[in-house]
Amino acid sequence: MWELFQRAAPLLGPALLMTLFLGSTSFVGGCVLGMLIALARISNIRLLRWFAFSYVSIFRGTPLLIQILLIYFGLPTYGIVVGPVAAALVALTLFSAAYLSENFRSGISGVDKGQWEAAWSMGMSYTRTMRRIVLPQALRIAIPPLGSRLIALMKDTSLASTITVVELTRVADQIGATTFRYMEMFVMVGAIYWVINQFLTIVQTLLEAHLSRRYQ
């Protein structure tokens, strides 16, 4: 096993960085897009609500793998050629945004209506009320599901291997094909995913504790 690890290490290092890049970048992009979609879902404008609902329904209702394949293999049909890393990143971002928008929406809905009324009675605008009063409290409520989504998204990056992105799962498959030691390689890569997600779980727990002390 150690000999196999030494052989795989030069490839696992860059693959690990690619996995972390895909997971973290798509999560940040998904948070930004997801927040916009969440605000559209609670908007008074019917068209925005309809668009946001449709977006969430489509991206939550179809497999991520299909979305990746559509972007990578489907778009070139219309003259839009997207590289494998970019295709995976776009698909992961769009997919995560649908779930994150619901996390943000539930967090915003969880803020007591009295907070809104108090802010408006002080003459605060909608934007300022959202930025100064509502979003900080909504974030504290949304932290647990956001953390769970990041962990799930980090595992979802393994699907990028289907379009030749060289991340952890792809390396495990490549080395397994040349050594015929698939079991050891996938156990090794599984352990790496486990370590990553345990670290993220610890960070999430510490962040929850910090926000609870701050806003209690």
Side-chain angles (χ1 to χ4, degrees), residues 2 6 32 39 42 85 107 188 195-196 200 209:
W2 175 247
Q6 288 180 311
V32 174
L39 294 176
I42 62 175
V85 175
M188 190 185 304
V195 170
I196 293 171
L200 293 175

mmCIF file of all heavy atoms in Angstrom, residues 2 6 32 39 42 85 107 188 195-196 200 209:
data_model
loop_
_atom_site.group_PDB
_atom_site.id
_atom_site.type_symbol
_atom_site.label_atom_id
_atom_site.label_comp_id
_atom_site.label_asym_id
_atom_site.label_seq_id
_atom_site.Cartn_x
_atom_site.Cartn_y
_atom_site.Cartn_z
ATOM 1 N N TRP A 2 1.927 1.245 0.848
ATOM 2 C CA TRP A 2 2.818 2.391 0.921
ATOM 3 C C TRP A 2 3.537 2.605 -0.408
ATOM 4 O O TRP A 2 3.723 3.739 -0.856
ATOM 5 C CB TRP A 2 3.826 2.210 2.052
ATOM 6 C CG TRP A 2 4.853 3.297 2.125
ATOM 7 C CD1 TRP A 2 6.188 3.203 1.898
ATOM 8 C CD2 TRP A 2 4.607 4.678 2.439
ATOM 9 N NE1 TRP A 2 6.801 4.420 2.035
ATOM 10 C CE2 TRP A 2 5.852 5.351 2.380
ATOM 11 C CE3 TRP A 2 3.471 5.409 2.749
ATOM 12 C CZ2 TRP A 2 5.986 6.708 2.621
ATOM 13 C CZ3 TRP A 2 3.599 6.768 2.997
ATOM 14 C CH2 TRP A 2 4.840 7.408 2.934
ATOM 15 N N GLN A 6 3.382 5.954 -2.745
ATOM 16 C CA GLN A 6 4.552 6.677 -3.236
ATOM 17 C C GLN A 6 4.489 6.846 -4.757
ATOM 18 O O GLN A 6 4.879 7.884 -5.286
ATOM 19 C CB GLN A 6 5.833 5.917 -2.854
ATOM 20 C CG GLN A 6 6.167 5.990 -1.363
ATOM 21 C CD GLN A 6 7.435 5.237 -1.035
ATOM 22 O OE1 GLN A 6 7.614 4.074 -1.441
ATOM 23 N NE2 GLN A 6 8.327 5.876 -0.304
ATOM 24 N N VAL A 32 -22.959 33.256 -4.149
ATOM 25 C CA VAL A 32 -23.319 34.556 -4.743
ATOM 26 C C VAL A 32 -24.587 34.413 -5.575
ATOM 27 O O VAL A 32 -25.562 35.166 -5.413
ATOM 28 C CB VAL A 32 -22.165 35.098 -5.606
ATOM 29 C CG1 VAL A 32 -22.601 36.379 -6.328
ATOM 30 C CG2 VAL A 32 -20.937 35.371 -4.734
ATOM 31 N N LEU A 39 -33.164 35.986 -3.052
ATOM 32 C CA LEU A 39 -33.814 37.299 -3.006
ATOM 33 C C LEU A 39 -34.895 37.409 -4.069
ATOM 34 O O LEU A 39 -35.930 38.054 -3.857
ATOM 35 C CB LEU A 39 -32.768 38.404 -3.188
ATOM 36 C CG LEU A 39 -31.737 38.540 -2.054
ATOM 37 C CD1 LEU A 39 -30.694 39.590 -2.400
ATOM 38 C CD2 LEU A 39 -32.419 38.877 -0.735
ATOM 39 N N ILE A 42 -38.151 35.738 -2.899
ATOM 40 C CA ILE A 42 -38.988 36.458 -1.929
ATOM 41 C C ILE A 42 -39.341 37.855 -2.440
ATOM 42 O O ILE A 42 -39.877 38.674 -1.698
ATOM 43 C CB ILE A 42 -38.269 36.571 -0.566
ATOM 44 C CG1 ILE A 42 -36.966 37.378 -0.697
ATOM 45 C CG2 ILE A 42 -37.992 35.200 0.017
ATOM 46 C CD1 ILE A 42 -36.272 37.633 0.630
ATOM 47 N N VAL A 85 -12.401 21.669 -17.427
ATOM 48 C CA VAL A 85 -12.395 22.298 -16.098
ATOM 49 C C VAL A 85 -13.466 23.372 -16.004
ATOM 50 O O VAL A 85 -14.215 23.444 -15.025
ATOM 51 C CB VAL A 85 -11.004 22.897 -15.783
ATOM 52 C CG1 VAL A 85 -11.033 23.659 -14.460
ATOM 53 C CG2 VAL A 85 -9.940 21.797 -15.729
ATOM 54 N N GLY A 107 -33.158 30.738 5.669
ATOM 55 C CA GLY A 107 -32.520 31.552 6.700
ATOM 56 C C GLY A 107 -33.163 32.923 6.808
ATOM 57 O O GLY A 107 -33.430 33.419 7.920
ATOM 58 N N MET A 188 -7.716 4.669 -0.929
ATOM 59 C CA MET A 188 -6.810 5.775 -0.653
ATOM 60 C C MET A 188 -7.472 7.118 -0.945
ATOM 61 O O MET A 188 -7.433 8.045 -0.129
ATOM 62 C CB MET A 188 -5.535 5.620 -1.486
ATOM 63 C CG MET A 188 -4.414 6.570 -1.126
ATOM 64 S SD MET A 188 -3.011 6.372 -2.282
ATOM 65 C CE MET A 188 -2.666 4.613 -2.123
ATOM 66 N N VAL A 195 -10.794 12.960 4.956
ATOM 67 C CA VAL A 195 -9.998 13.940 5.710
ATOM 68 C C VAL A 195 -10.443 15.361 5.365
ATOM 69 O O VAL A 195 -10.603 16.207 6.256
ATOM 70 C CB VAL A 195 -8.491 13.758 5.413
ATOM 71 C CG1 VAL A 195 -7.684 14.918 5.998
ATOM 72 C CG2 VAL A 195 -8.000 12.436 5.987
ATOM 73 N N ILE A 196 -10.643 15.634 4.084
ATOM 74 C CA ILE A 196 -11.094 16.968 3.659
ATOM 75 C C ILE A 196 -12.408 17.326 4.331
ATOM 76 O O ILE A 196 -12.577 18.420 4.897
ATOM 77 C CB ILE A 196 -11.268 17.027 2.121
ATOM 78 C CG1 ILE A 196 -9.921 16.892 1.410
ATOM 79 C CG2 ILE A 196 -11.951 18.343 1.705
ATOM 80 C CD1 ILE A 196 -10.040 16.732 -0.090
ATOM 81 N N LEU A 200 -13.590 20.215 7.107
ATOM 82 C CA LEU A 200 -14.678 21.156 6.865
ATOM 83 C C LEU A 200 -15.736 21.075 7.962
ATOM 84 O O LEU A 200 -16.315 22.091 8.356
ATOM 85 C CB LEU A 200 -15.321 20.879 5.502
ATOM 86 C CG LEU A 200 -14.444 21.146 4.278
ATOM 87 C CD1 LEU A 200 -15.166 20.714 2.996
ATOM 88 C CD2 LEU A 200 -14.052 22.609 4.193
ATOM 89 N N ALA A 209 -20.361 27.868 16.562
ATOM 90 C CA ALA A 209 -20.172 28.262 17.955
ATOM 91 C C ALA A 209 -19.858 29.750 18.065
ATOM 92 O O ALA A 209 -20.362 30.450 18.955
ATOM 93 C CB ALA A 209 -19.053 27.432 18.585
#
